[in-house]
Every structure is written in C-alpha cells, then in structure tokens.
Amino acid sequence: MKLLDQKVTLITGASRGIGRGMALELAKQGSSVAFTYLSSPDKAAELEKELSTFGIKAKGYKSDASDFKAAEELIAAVLNDFGRIDVVVNNAGITRDNLLMRMSEEHFDEVIRTNLKSVFNITKAVQKSMLKERKGSIINISSVVGVKGNAGQANYAASKAGIIGFTKSIALELGSRNIRCNAIAPGFIETEMTAVLNPDVVKQWREAIPLKRGGTPEDVANLVVFLASDMSSYITGQVINVDGGMLT
Ligand code: NAD
C-alpha cells in the first residue's frame, strides 16, 4: 500500500524542472498523474512513459494554463480520462526579469497571466468536480520572492504574492467542503529556470543559504506528496517555505 494509492493528480507545466520532479515522486507514491506541457511533445511523451513504469495511469495534455477556455477544456478532458481529480498542483510559471525602469507592459502582463491568472483558471475549472467529491487538495507553487520581494522581479514577485492571497481566500471559501488549498514557497531550486542566472550570483546565493546548497526538484516534490496525501488532512491556507532556511 502506497501513500497516494487511488489518487488522481493534475500538475501544470510538468515536462521539466520542479513539475517533472513532482510528477515522478507522486507516481512513485501511487498517484495517477495527468500533466500539462506547452511546447515539448517529445519530453511529455518521455515523461508519460517514465511515469507509467510505476504502474499508474499517466497522460500529458498540451494546454496553455494562462488561457481560461483551454483550462476548462483541460479539466473536462482529464475528468473524462481519469474519472476524477483529487489533487491539483498549479506549477506552471515563467520569469521575465528586469528593473522596473526597463520592464515592458508586455512582460508584466505575460508574467501575471502565466503565473497568477493560470491558478485562477485551473482552480475555477476544477472546483465543481471537487465540490461534488467533497474532497480535494489544491497546491499552488508560489516563491520566497512572493513573500519577500526581489529587485528586478517586480512582475514575478507580484504574481507569486498574488498566489498567496488567492490560496488563503480559496482555503476559506472551500474549507467547509473538505477542499484544502495551500501554497509552497520554494527558495532557490536548481532547474532550467535558474540555469540562466549569472554563476557568480548563484555562488553567492548558495553561500547565503543556511543549508549551503540550492534545492532540488525532489525537495519541493516531497512536500507536494505530503500535501497531496491524507497525512496533511488538517492543513489548509498555509504558505510553506522550501528554501534551505533562506528566509529565516
Ligand atoms: P521551469 O521553467 O523549468 O518549468 C516551468 C514549466 O512551466 C515549464 O515546463 C514550462 O513549459 C511550463 N509553462 C510555462 N508557461 C506555461 C503555460 N502558460 N501553460 C502551461 N505550462 C507552462 O521552472 P521551474 O524552476 O521548474 O519552476 C516551476 C515553478 O516553481 C514555477 O511556478 C516557478 O515560478 C516556481 N519556482 C521556482 C523556483 C526556482 O528556483 N526554480 C523558485 C521558486 C518558485
């Protein structure tokens, strides 16, 4: 018997990075996994195959989480294929960093639409089926930057802070129906998203982190497994940092 046997999880943006790490850990623990990707059908097919080796049902869907209508269609397709959705992980996200002086309106809008509006789109589309099941766990991937701010990331920080307000509100709205909603605030996690950063800056960050290393996708995935499981059944409305002590 595994921790997540019989569960069905949907993750957005899972063809690489933290999303991919979560998909693998959830599958290892027995959850069936539906996941979305935007532009890499090969990576998605590879992940689907890898997930299936854990003996669970897995399927990738090409879907833009920032598109309201696409989110509705996605949820309908996943419900049709899997029967129900117990857990949603709103993971899809982008950065378009710049100082405010140089930040374009397009880059501000793009980050808010992809990182924040996507969470609204998917959560709104899935809530009806979770209400019917009278259970559910919604896990939103925020960031320590949403808690603390960061120079050069006003758009990203605003989107991630917005996720925290959204998470707490949904926890209040849906708690009486046994639907939980929590946010995870990762610190510096070493993925393709952070691989583009200046190596000297990265070195300084690693040194400043109390645990003296960047995080891995598995570090975040382990908390996702816990929040997806019934072991966290009395936890809702929380923002939990996975940051090696960065915000301490
Ligand atoms: P990543 O760039 O490797 O992965 C992001 C994924 O989201 C990609 O697969 C991408 O295709 C997908 N995506 C982007 N826009 C999408 C859209 N509109 N619809 C569907 N999918 C879309 O980044 P990552 O480091 O794995 O980050 C995953 C999440 O964790 C993001 O929300 C990110 O903001 C957050 N986060 C990352 C870090 C870090 O240090 N890496 C820290 C804090 C928070």
Side-chain angles (χ1 to χ4, degrees):
M1 185 77 183
K2 292 180 187 157
L3 192 59
L4 302 178
D5 273 346
Q6 312 299 329
K7 300 250 189 227
V8 177
T9 302
L10 167 66
I11 312 172
T12 61
S15 59
R16 67 180 215 181
I18 297 175
R20 187 172 194 283
M22 289 168 184
L24 289 167
E25 292 305 315
L26 288 158
K28 259 185 223 170
Q29 294 300 331
S31 178
S32 289
V33 177
F35 68 91
T36 71
Y37 64 96
L38 200 54
S39 57
S40 342
D42 295 351
K43 280 190 184 172
E46 204 178 288
L47 179 62
E48 216 176 88
K49 215 165 129 197
E50 208 174 332
L51 291 171
S52 306
T53 63
F54 295 104
I56 51 96
K57 179 170 171 168
K59 186 167 177 183
Y61 300 80
K62 183 169 166 49
S63 181
D64 181 349
S66 71
D67 180 329
F68 184 77
K69 190 142 192 315
E72 284 184 329
E73 288 165 3
L74 168 72
I75 298 298
V78 175
L79 287 173
N80 187 49
D81 294 341
F82 287 77
R84 49 168 221 286
I85 301 171
D86 302 297
V87 181
V88 166
V89 188
N90 284 306
N91 168 73
I94 56 167
T95 50
R96 295 288 181 268
D97 299 352
N98 227 328
L99 293 173
L100 183 60
M101 199 181 287
R102 292 192 214 110
M103 187 177 288
S104 67
E105 184 188 1
E106 287 71 25
H107 279 179
F108 187 84
D109 288 346
E110 194 185 348
V111 168
I112 297 293
R113 220 175 31 246
T114 304
N115 297 5
L116 178 58
K117 181 148 181 283
S118 63
V119 178
F120 164 76
N121 293 343
I122 299 281
T123 307
K124 185 165 167 65
V126 83
Q127 78 156 348
K128 201 168 153 200
S129 79
M130 285 187 170
L131 286 170
K132 208 171 101 210
E133 298 286 337
R134 293 190 77 84
K135 66 180 165 65
S137 175
I138 299 161
I139 304 164
N140 298 325
I141 307 302
S142 176
S143 166
V144 291
V145 166
V147 178
K148 170 179 172 293
N150 196 24
Q153 288 197 306
N155 49 1
Y156 184 78
S159 73
K160 295 299 186 180
I163 287 178
I164 293 173
F166 184 85
T167 300
K168 288 175 182 274
S169 304
I170 298 307
L172 293 171
E173 273 188 39
L174 301 183
S176 65
R177 308 297 188 89
N178 196 30
I179 299 169
R180 301 180 292 111
C181 187
N182 292 288
I184 296 178
F188 173 55
I189 310 296
E190 305 209 23
T191 65
E192 287 96 327
M193 183 184 264
T194 52
V196 297
L197 298 167
N198 178 327
D200 291 336
V201 174
V202 168
K203 192 162 168 262
Q204 280 171 21
W205 282 358
R206 284 200 198 104
E207 278 161 12
I209 294 168
L211 288 181
K212 301 292 171 206
R213 65 170 178 90
T216 63
E218 292 69 36
D219 289 323
V220 182
N222 287 333
L223 178 56
V224 167
V225 166
F226 173 68
L227 290 174
S229 79
D230 297 338
M231 285 180 76
S232 59
S233 58
Y234 202 50
I235 300 176
T236 195
Q238 303 305 302
V239 183
I240 306 175
N241 297 351
V242 180
D243 66 353
M246 193 189 251
L247 282 201
T248 307

